[in-house]
Amino acid sequence: MPRVSRTAVLSLLVLSGSVFLLFQVYYFRKYVTTPGLHILNQSGHLTTTDVRWQTVKKLLALAQHFGLPVFLADTAALTLLSQDALRQRDRLVKEPHCSFLCTSRPVMSFALRANQWKYDPGILLAAEQKGFDVLELRGEDPRLAGLDTLSGEEIPLHFLFRLHGYVIQVVFLYERSGNYLWHGTLRLKAHMDPNFAPFKQLDYGRNPGAYDRPELVLTVLDGLDLQIPHNVSRFLAEQRQAHFLECHYRDARNFLQLYPDDSSPEAVGFRKKVKSLLHLAARTLALLDIPFWISSGTCLGWFRQCSIISYSRDVDIGIFIVDFRSDIIAAFREAGLMLKHKFGKVEDSLELSFISEGIKLDIFFFYEDGDVVWNGGTQAKSGRKFKYIFPRFSLCWAELLELKVRVPCETLDYVMANYGASWSIPVRIWDWKSSPSNVQENGLWPPGEWEELIQVY
């Protein structure tokens, strides 16, 4: 058997060591662009967590270079910021350097207020040079949808950055006239790759969303400087209920061509008073933390003509009875509204009505009953009770009179329940006891209880 020379062995060892060293240098240059945390595990290999942390780090560096003011909006990462979740995370995570930004999902979400950044396509080119696959999604600007001559202009809605199978979403939040932020849907064009990202796992884009402006704070997470919402719990609660419905502007224009809106001074004055009253009601109920939605004729006006019905003469809102608070009457009185009537009781058919500048605010309380919900009505002079039945519904955000308000997500079903199949035809003569499609007789209030249950001021 031939003897292997010592020189050959040494040469083989040097060659093997050089190959291994070059392999380490390759990974170091590929995944570590600037000095920072040590990202190799004990075996000297990059883990999935390491790659994701480095991907986030690369993107944040690009965002900083191009002045992109992103903040962390990822629901999984923000959930980990709670103390209870943090303690649980500490027990489970073996790589403590990435306790927040490296979640179990292959996606991460950031957001930015679009008015704070001058659009620069250079960031997309730079990202591609860094190895990212990039997808920009645009859509029509709804803020211009009411203007025939300007509608159709597209704006950036979402950026998607993909590296090593990990996707980072940046969602654009736009200022709306109702003093809130809005983002659009994530809708792929025909030529776009439907497998670019695990779209069902993205936090934003299945529906448009509406948010209050979050207060942001600068912090350090996993060794990276980034902004997060100051009130994380509130932001997460908003995200779960952010679904926004845009008004059907085209249908509204068609409706107004058939039935021109009243432009008389009286009608203009009425719309101005309604706007003031609706804003006042929203502020008052927000202080009480009571959610409400626009109901009855007010909801019909939004759905049918993107405005109010000038001949309706009142404002209608709905509140689930589970959200009732005993201090609601006092709060409206302090806001300057006078109680006009109080019908029913918390357990049955409660209804409140306030008045301001000659405009009535009707508050209908809704009760859940199996597959339906209902609100009550009372005829003061006879004690007769009525019930208005609706299919169950969820709540979405919308905009009316430059105010972010809730509406039933299933708006058509809601409107048809109340106004029937002919809801799109204006009706000026309306009897609340017989005209609604969903009204039912519901007995009589006992005369001995009228003093308590039928109060008119």
Side-chain angles (χ1 to χ4, degrees), residues 73-80 105 109 203-204 235-236 239-240:
D74 189 85
T75 58
L78 290 175
T79 299
L80 293 174
R105 303 188 304 172
S109 298
D203 284 329
Y204 304 89
F235 183 84
L236 289 172
Q239 196 276 339
R240 290 190 292 270

Side-chain angles (χ1 to χ4, degrees), residues 6-279:
R6 183 178 301 176
T7 301
V9 171
L10 289 175
S11 299
L12 182 61
L13 290 174
V14 169
L15 179 61
S16 299
S18 300
V19 170
F20 182 71
L21 180 61
L22 288 173
F23 179 77
Q24 287 186 313
V25 170
Y26 167 78
Y27 269 90
F28 183 85
R29 295 187 64 181
K30 186 173 182 62
Y31 295 108
V32 185
T33 56
T34 57
L37 296 173
H38 183 65
I39 65 167
L40 298 179
N41 62 15
Q42 293 180 353
S43 65
H45 295 89
L46 286 167
T47 66
T48 300
T49 297
D50 298 325
V51 172
R52 291 179 177 179
W53 183 84
Q54 279 296 324
T55 302
V56 173
K57 182 180 179 181
K58 280 187 176 183
L59 185 66
L60 290 178
L62 282 170
Q64 183 178 17
H65 179 78
F66 285 90
L68 192 72
V70 296
F71 65 89
L72 183 64
D74 189 85
T75 58
L78 290 175
T79 299
L80 293 174
L81 291 176
S82 70
Q83 290 301 312
D84 290 340
L86 178 57
R87 285 193 291 269
Q88 178 71 10
R89 185 74 171 174
D90 286 341
R91 289 193 292 269
L92 299 177
V93 174
K94 296 181 180 179
E95 294 89 1
H97 73 269
C98 199
S99 299
F100 299 100
L101 299 178
C102 299
T103 67
S104 60
R105 303 188 304 172
V107 296
M108 175 65 60
S109 298
F110 290 87
L112 79 151
R113 292 175 59 174
N115 67 311
Q116 296 179 346
W117 185 62
K118 183 177 180 181
Y119 180 81
D120 184 353
I123 189 173
L124 303 179
L125 296 174
E128 290 178 340
Q129 292 173 356
K130 292 289 185 180
F132 285 96
D133 297 317
V134 178
L135 189 61
E136 178 184 10
L137 296 111
R138 288 175 165 261
E140 290 188 2
D141 188 345
R143 298 169 299 177
L144 305 177
L147 305 176
D148 290 328
T149 56
L150 296 178
S151 62
E153 179 177 331
E154 289 198 338
I155 53 176
L157 299 178
H158 302 267
F159 286 163
L160 295 180
F161 301 90
R162 184 179 66 187
L163 186 63
H164 307 300
Y166 189 59
V167 175
I168 298 178
Q169 176 186 27
V170 176
V171 56
F172 284 70
L173 299 174
Y174 287 90
E175 300 276 346
R176 296 291 293 262
S177 59
N179 198 32
Y180 62 95
L181 301 177
W182 168 92
H183 72 73
T185 55
L186 197 159
R187 185 171 293 122
L188 297 179
K189 306 287 187 181
H191 66 279
M192 294 180 176
D193 180 9
N195 299 314
F196 185 90
F199 291 103
K200 291 184 178 180
Q201 296 190 51
L202 295 176
D203 284 329
Y204 304 89
R206 282 184 291 276
N207 302 292
Y211 295 80
D212 292 334
R213 294 185 183 87
E215 179 185 353
L216 302 177
V217 293
L218 182 63
T219 188
V220 178
L221 287 182
D222 300 335
L224 301 177
D225 295 335
L226 74 165
Q227 294 192 97
I228 63 171
H230 180 263
N231 191 329
V232 171
S233 298
R234 178 178 177 182
F235 183 84
L236 289 172
E238 280 194 86
Q239 196 276 339
R240 290 190 292 270
Q241 303 173 18
H243 190 173
F244 181 87
L245 297 181
E246 201 69 60
C247 184
H248 300 293
Y249 297 106
R250 186 172 300 159
D251 293 340
R253 286 194 290 268
N254 293 336
F255 173 84
L256 293 173
Q257 286 179 352
L258 290 174
Y259 309 101
D261 209 355
D262 187 352
S263 59
S264 66
E266 293 78 13
V268 173
F270 172 74
R271 285 191 284 269
K272 183 177 180 181
K273 290 179 181 179
V274 166
K275 178 179 178 179
S276 177
L277 178 57
L278 192 57
H279 279 247

